[in-house]
Amino acid sequence: MSDGPTGDATVDAALAPLADLAARPLAEHPGVLEDVHRTLHDHLADEPDAPGEARPRP
C-alpha cells in the first residue's frame, strides 16, 4: 500500500497521466485514456479473486 489517493501504488501511477490531460492536445486524449484503461485492467486481472466472489471462467 502507498500513501497516495487510492492506497494502491499501481493504481495511483496509472491515474497520474490524467492529472495533466486537459493541458494535452485533444488528439492525444484517446491514447492517454487507452493506456490508463489498459494498465488498470491488467492490474485488476492480476488481483486474486475476492473471497466469496465467483469470477466467470471462459
Side-chain angles (χ1 to χ4, degrees), residues 37-50:
H37 180 263
R38 182 175 29 260
T39 302
L40 292 173
H41 183 271
D42 291 348
H43 182 55
L44 284 173
D46 290 341
E47 289 291 315
D49 291 341

Side-chain angles (χ1 to χ4, degrees), residues 8-24:
D8 185 309
T10 302
V11 172
D12 292 337
L15 297 175
L18 299 178
D20 70 340
L21 190 64
R24 293 176 177 247

